[in-house]
Amino acid sequence: MLEQVQRYYGETLTGSHDLRTDACCDGAAVPEALKPLLADIHPEVSERYYGCGLVAPDALEGLRVLDLGCGAGRDVYLLSRLVGEQGEVVGVDMTAAQLAVAERHRAYHAERYGYARSNVRFVEGRIEALGALGLPAGGFDLIVSNCVLNLSPDKAAVLAGAYQLLAPGGEFYFADVYADRRLPAALAEDPVLYGECLAGALYWADFLSLARAAGFTDPRLVDARPLAIDDTQVAEKVAPARFCSATYRLFKVEGLDPGAEDHGQTVTYRGDLSGYPDNWSLDRDRRFPTGHAVAVSANSYRILRASRFSRAFAFDAGAGAHRGPFPGVSDANPFTTAIACTTGSCC
Ligand SMILES: C[S@@+](CC[C@H](N)C(=O)[O-])C[C@H]1O[C@@H](n2cnc3c(N)ncnc32)[C@H](O)[C@@H]1O
């Protein structure tokens, strides 16, 4: 399986134009502020971008970031700029041909960003064995990944490894492809279906279970879009399953409840996260208008308190007594809210 994926990304594909579905092609609306930064990335790197979402969360200045399955490094170089010269970004990938492209543009990007030296490095290896790569346990504030977990034959090991490498309060923020049901195992034998990020996709509810088992107790859905499969041969093989690309954020925060509980707590967003003077969203369901106290579940309270977003909020713990379940919390199903895209033009 791993060799098949290496061949697909190292030899079969020469650029995004070779893809046969839009599964590995980013249809996410890029915020205006990021467009010039993406335009600044070396064309050879951009041309080999095979992501399915945008993995650039907010408040990145100074962070230590790890990109799992970084490919030719597009997200690594975007994040290199967003974390600033004092931050650092490490990219891991198992395909030497992809890493060779990433590696040869390190100096180019450092110079372009005005850094005295590159804040980026690349490591060749399998993301199922992160512990063997000499990366520091608890040494990363943020782990990202873009359209890779579906390709892994051992997704539980990847999630467990990511949990180990995150610092307390850190987050795994990543985009991937999900199915609306469990897929027949036989589909994984087709190198195109697998390489195009479909056959290895998890049923979304199974993903939530795996994430929780790895210690990420309260997965949060950030964004989702349905995938259009224009290639009729591919579409016939995977029917009737439907697919979507979704971005989740998983926080490493101890002591979270299995469900959303109400302890009468509120948080008030101060309005000082860069680019968000009026409001800021933690995930698809939780938006915080500036200067307004918003009631939150005990989990949201703990996540905001423990994470790098803490400095942007005022916290009121209330009386602390439990009031029962927190009302109106969704199940993080990406298929219930994915924005309709009826053609392949979402890319
Ligand atoms: C769809 S591409 C995405 C690449 C990159 N994240 C991007 O957005 O352009 C998948 C990448 O994951 C890498 N990959 C897949 N399975 C892997 C594994 N088990 N360990 C390490 N890298 C893996 C492949 O080599 C390939 O570069």
Side-chain angles (χ1 to χ4, degrees):
M1 195 69 77
L2 291 171
E3 290 77 17
Q4 180 180 300
V5 171
Q6 270 171 325
R7 263 199 305 282
Y8 203 72
Y9 285 95
E11 296 164 29
T12 310
L13 299 180
T14 60
S16 337
H17 53 270
D18 288 337
L19 291 166
R20 295 183 47 192
T21 73
D22 77 348
C24 293
C25 176
D26 186 2
V30 176
E32 283 306 313
L34 294 186
K35 285 182 181 164
L37 308 192
L38 287 173
D40 231 11
I41 288 171
H42 193 284
E44 194 190 6
V45 170
S46 297
E47 174 51 26
R48 281 186 167 264
Y49 170 64
Y50 304 124
C52 56
L54 187 65
V55 291
D58 306 311
L60 294 176
E61 187 73 30
L63 261 50
R64 301 159 296 171
V65 182
L66 175 66
D67 183 357
L68 302 182
C70 62
R74 192 207 69 162
D75 292 329
V76 167
Y77 288 120
L78 175 66
L79 292 160
S80 156
R81 189 146 195 188
L82 293 169
V83 298
E85 197 166 5
Q86 302 313 314
E88 67 163 313
V89 189
V90 178
V92 173
D93 203 286
M94 67 175 183
T95 305
Q98 289 273 77
L99 285 183
V101 174
E103 191 68 54
R104 67 174 161 260
H105 299 297
R106 279 176 71 219
Y108 170 91
H109 289 95
E111 194 186 346
R112 191 108 189 145
Y113 302 164
Y115 296 171
R117 58 176 188 84
S118 176
N119 64 351
V120 157
R121 72 187 169 96
F122 296 100
V123 177
E124 188 172 337
R126 292 173 44 237
I127 58 172
E128 296 78 11
L130 289 169
L133 300 182
L135 301 169
F140 293 93
D141 309 299
L142 173 70
I143 299 181
V144 300
S145 184
N146 201 341
C147 223
V148 180
L149 194 63
N150 71 84
L151 295 168
S152 171
D154 189 351
K155 295 158 174 61
V158 179
L159 288 160
Y163 192 88
Q164 284 300 315
L165 293 183
L166 277 176
E171 73 166 316
F172 184 18
Y173 184 102
F174 71 106
D176 203 8
V177 175
Y178 297 90
D180 69 343
R181 64 200 68 201
R182 293 178 180 147
L183 300 173
L187 283 187
E189 323 250 301
D190 184 318
V192 173
L193 292 189
Y194 202 87
E196 295 269 335
C197 302
L198 296 175
L202 281 171
Y203 166 45
W204 65 271
D206 286 343
F207 158 69
L208 293 180
S209 303
L210 279 182
R212 290 184 179 117
F216 297 109
T217 309
D218 191 352
R220 298 294 176 97
L221 178 64
V222 177
D223 197 15
R225 71 177 168 104
L227 295 182
I229 302 172
D230 288 342
D231 184 311
T232 41
Q233 272 182 342
V234 172
E236 276 166 20
K237 285 182 187 169
V238 297
R242 292 185 300 131
F243 296 85
C244 78
S245 160
T247 303
Y248 283 95
R249 67 191 328 166
L250 312 178
F251 287 92
K252 178 173 176 172
V253 174
E254 299 281 335
L256 296 180
D257 294 313
E261 303 298 337
D262 188 357
H263 283 260
Q265 296 151 313
T266 64
V267 299
T268 305
Y269 174 53
R270 296 188 217 271
D272 48 11
L273 287 177
S274 176
Y276 299 92
D278 302 327
N279 61 73
W280 179 78
S281 296
L282 173 65
D283 55 42
R284 179 190 60 175
D285 300 320
R286 292 160 193 87
R287 193 169 139 270
F288 301 101
T290 299
H292 292 271
V294 175
V296 288
S297 69
N299 279 359
S300 290
Y301 191 90
R302 283 206 190 102
I303 286 171
L304 288 171
R305 260 237 117 117
S307 69
R308 67 188 187 281
F309 302 115
S310 173
R311 64 178 169 80
F313 282 86
F315 295 87
D316 184 343
H322 185 218
R323 302 171 171 192
F326 191 85
V329 171
S330 82
D331 57 3
N333 175 354
F335 286 89
T336 55
T337 54
I339 301 152
C341 168
T342 49
T343 71
S345 63
C346 280
C347 283

